[in-house]
Amino acid sequence: GENVEQHPSTLSVQEGDSAVIKCTYSDSASNYFPWYKQELGKRPQLIIDIRSNVGEKKDQRIAVTLNKTAKHFSLHITETQPEDSAVYFCAASTGQAGTALIFGKGTTLSVSS
Amino acid sequence: SAVISQKPSRDICQRGTSLTIQCQVDSQVTMMFWYRQQPGQSLTLIATANQGSEATYESGFVIDKFPISRPNLTFSTLTVSNMSPEDSSIYLCSVRGGVVYGYTFGSGTRLTVV
């Protein structure tokens, strides 16, 4: 089955800096790669996703890149703000009916002002 | 995207007892997924529930401990049986939103076993 590795487990940056979180996956059939942000006591919230027919996707300060050959994808947050502090999870799925998301172990991002 | 109502939101239970968690979706979905999130950890898939058939469990999870029901295309329950403190976690249900691929999560059930 799918296995998703996520690095780093913790990341501390100064406000205004960029943050990058990287994930690798094992199943070459995976073609859907979402990123979730989870604040303390809340459910995971989708912040951006990418499908295998796209190499990069941006949404304001957030971008995701995908390298299908190398089986890795990354989350980039620019101009970080204290409210970006949270746990971020990457995930992968084949997108087929009946296929669940498999999550990485998460990255705790701390943005200090 | 689908909206999921999950309840209870939290509970404190005595060891040896069972708790049933419910998820109601506002649209018909083929599959529902149940996850466990232990304190400070990631989401781990427990099982996939399809209407009209037995759920498919991931390695490390068994039906006797986590029985699942899926009576129709909008509802599912997960029971945590014979609970021990190690079962203290957040339990979440999730559905996949059709061809858009997006997955939606319930608000979670925070379970504490004492």
Side-chain angles (χ1 to χ4, degrees):
Chain A
E2 177 65 277
N3 181 53
V4 179
E5 300 282 343
Q6 183 172 346
H7 300 281
S9 57
T10 61
L11 181 59
S12 296
V13 299
Q14 292 286 323
E15 182 177 2
D17 288 349
S18 295
V20 180
I21 303 171
K22 298 182 179 182
C23 289
T24 60
Y25 61 97
S26 62
D27 189 348
S28 57
S30 289
N31 61 6
Y32 176 64
F33 308 94
W35 286 88
Y36 288 84
K37 176 183 181 181
Q38 188 175 35
E39 297 175 322
L40 195 62
K42 297 185 177 181
R43 81 186 85 181
Q45 295 286 351
L46 177 69
I47 56 172
I48 196 167
D49 58 13
I50 192 167
R51 297 177 178 84
S52 60
N53 58 344
V54 176
E56 183 176 6
K57 183 178 179 180
K58 290 183 179 180
D59 183 4
Q60 300 182 3
R61 297 186 297 109
I62 294 173
V64 57
T65 59
L66 171 65
N67 183 328
K68 282 221 75 177
T69 302
K71 293 190 208 168
H72 65 71
F73 56 111
S74 300
L75 177 71
H76 303 254
I77 305 175
T78 59
E79 301 173 20
T80 54
Q81 302 168 3
E83 50 266 38
D84 294 328
S85 297
V87 181
Y88 292 81
F89 294 100
C90 63
S93 167
T94 65
Q96 295 176 355
T99 305
L101 286 174
I102 302 302
F103 285 83
K105 292 192 181 302
T107 297
T108 300
L109 174 63
S110 299
V111 181
S112 54
S113 55
Chain B
S1 61
V3 176
I4 304 175
S5 290
Q6 182 174 345
K7 55 184 178 183
S9 59
R10 59 178 64 228
D11 207 341
I12 301 173
C13 301
Q14 295 291 322
R15 68 178 66 201
T17 63
S18 298
L19 175 72
T20 295
I21 301 166
Q22 300 179 4
C23 278
Q24 178 76 52
V25 189
D26 68 346
S27 58
Q28 294 185 338
V29 292
T30 305
M31 296 293 185
M32 292 183 73
F33 309 104
W34 288 96
Y35 290 86
R36 179 177 74 182
Q37 188 173 26
Q38 294 176 300
Q41 303 296 314
S42 183
L43 286 79
T44 301
L45 181 65
I46 297 173
T48 298
N50 189 8
Q51 192 265 335
S53 63
E54 272 199 6
T56 301
Y57 289 83
E58 298 298 303
S59 176
F61 297 96
V62 294
I63 188 171
D64 290 346
K65 176 67 175 178
F66 298 101
I68 288 172
S69 78
R70 184 81 203 277
N72 57 55
L73 292 173
T74 64
F75 187 79
S76 180
T77 67
L78 170 77
T79 299
V80 186
S81 303
N82 188 25
M83 290 184 286
S84 66
E86 292 70 37
D87 295 318
S88 297
S89 294
I90 298 172
Y91 294 85
L92 300 110
C93 59
S94 175
V95 300
R96 176 171 168 263
V99 296
V100 181
Y101 287 168
Y103 292 75
T104 303
F105 286 87
S107 55
T109 296
R110 183 180 296 272
L111 170 62
T112 302
V113 183
V114 297

